[in-house]
Amino acid sequence: MNIQEGYKIDEPDIFIPWDIDEQTLTQKLNGRGFKHVTTGYYTISCKSLNGLSCLLGFHFEPRKNGHLNELEFFRTDYSDQEKSFNDFQSHFEKEFGKPTSEANGNEGFKNYAWNFESVQIVHYVFDRFGPEEHMRIRKIKKHESTTTPISKRANSAKGSDNTFNKLWSRLTGK
């Protein structure tokens, strides 16, 4: 998969290019069980990365009349946090190789990041209202840098609510 160009979903069989608008995404997903959650955010249950079953969220920036810039991978059941984390990590490492950076994280989990020319993948857990896993692929704008991975920023932010809120805003666009 050329992650610089977009993301390939195996089931349903769709390629989603970066920077498409909401209308184009809804045309591609039409009849495939996707949900429009809110302005600039859609989800679909799918399989990708050779058997990874999860929900996939599509984030647009700006939220209204924006373009696809982030994919969020998540589950509805996190009853076994370690199993979920290891499953995501295994599938991503098989597809994209070993992470380009690793740091000590929260709740006994590591923070991982894969930095590519125009894309960053992050995987980490932080305590929001209990442990919360984040597995995301984000299109990097030309003026942004991937030299300081989000995972390291998340790790250093745990002592400061203000810093954490800024990080969260940057990650989610909210």
Side-chain angles (χ1 to χ4, degrees), residues 135-152:
M135 180 88 249
R136 295 172 179 253
I137 301 176
R138 186 169 162 249
K139 178 79 169 166
I140 303 296
K141 295 175 185 157
K142 290 181 182 179
H143 68 275
E144 293 177 322
S145 170
T146 62
T147 57
T148 304
I150 293 170
S151 60
K152 284 188 180 178

Side-chain angles (χ1 to χ4, degrees), residues 1-2 12 25-26 44 53 55 81 91 106 111 117-118 124 128-130 132 134 146 150 162 166 168 170 174:
M1 172 183 333
N2 183 352
L25 178 72
T26 59
I44 190 170
S53 294
L55 291 164
Q81 186 80 55
H91 283 279
N106 298 307
N111 294 336
E117 184 178 325
S118 63
Y124 60 95
R128 187 166 143 194
F129 302 109
E132 187 173 294
H134 285 263
T146 62
I150 293 170
N162 188 35
K166 288 178 184 176
W168 181 248
R170 200 175 5 204
K174 297 177 187 172

Side-chain angles (χ1 to χ4, degrees), residues 6-160:
Y7 190 77
K8 171 71 171 83
I9 300 171
D10 299 330
E11 292 178 28
D13 186 13
I14 310 169
F15 178 77
I16 307 293
W18 291 112
D19 295 325
I20 64 172
D21 59 30
E22 288 185 63
Q23 181 180 357
T24 305
L25 178 72
T26 59
Q27 289 169 352
K28 284 183 163 288
L29 299 180
N30 191 27
R32 303 189 190 247
F34 77 99
K35 293 180 183 171
H36 179 220
V37 179
T38 189
T39 303
Y41 183 56
Y42 298 80
T43 63
I44 190 170
S45 179
C46 66
K47 284 188 181 182
S48 61
L49 303 177
N50 297 307
L52 175 65
S53 294
C54 65
L55 291 164
L56 179 57
F58 303 90
H59 292 270
F60 289 79
E61 189 178 284
R63 291 182 77 96
K64 185 174 184 178
N65 298 320
H67 292 87
L68 181 67
N69 78 319
E70 186 171 335
L71 301 172
E72 172 187 19
F73 300 78
F74 61 99
R75 305 176 193 286
T76 56
D77 178 17
Y78 285 97
S79 58
D80 188 339
Q81 186 80 55
E82 185 174 359
K83 181 179 177 184
S84 173
F85 192 90
N86 292 339
D87 187 41
F88 276 128
Q89 191 66 26
S90 173
H91 283 279
F92 274 76
E93 284 189 21
K94 284 177 186 168
E95 182 66 35
F96 302 109
K98 293 287 183 189
T100 54
S101 67
E102 177 181 317
N104 289 329
N106 298 307
E107 305 295 321
F109 296 95
K110 295 274 190 183
N111 294 336
Y112 296 102
W114 291 257
N115 295 313
F116 301 100
E117 184 178 325
S118 63
V119 172
Q120 183 179 57
I121 302 171
V122 295
H123 188 205
Y124 60 95
V125 171
F126 73 93
D127 185 42
R128 187 166 143 194
F129 302 109
E132 187 173 294
E133 181 176 13
H134 285 263
M135 180 88 249
R136 295 172 179 253
I137 301 176
R138 186 169 162 249
K139 178 79 169 166
I140 303 296
K141 295 175 185 157
K142 290 181 182 179
H143 68 275
E144 293 177 322
S145 170
T146 62
T147 57
T148 304
I150 293 170
S151 60
K152 284 188 180 178
R153 292 192 300 258
N155 189 47
S156 67
K158 63 185 173 185
S160 167

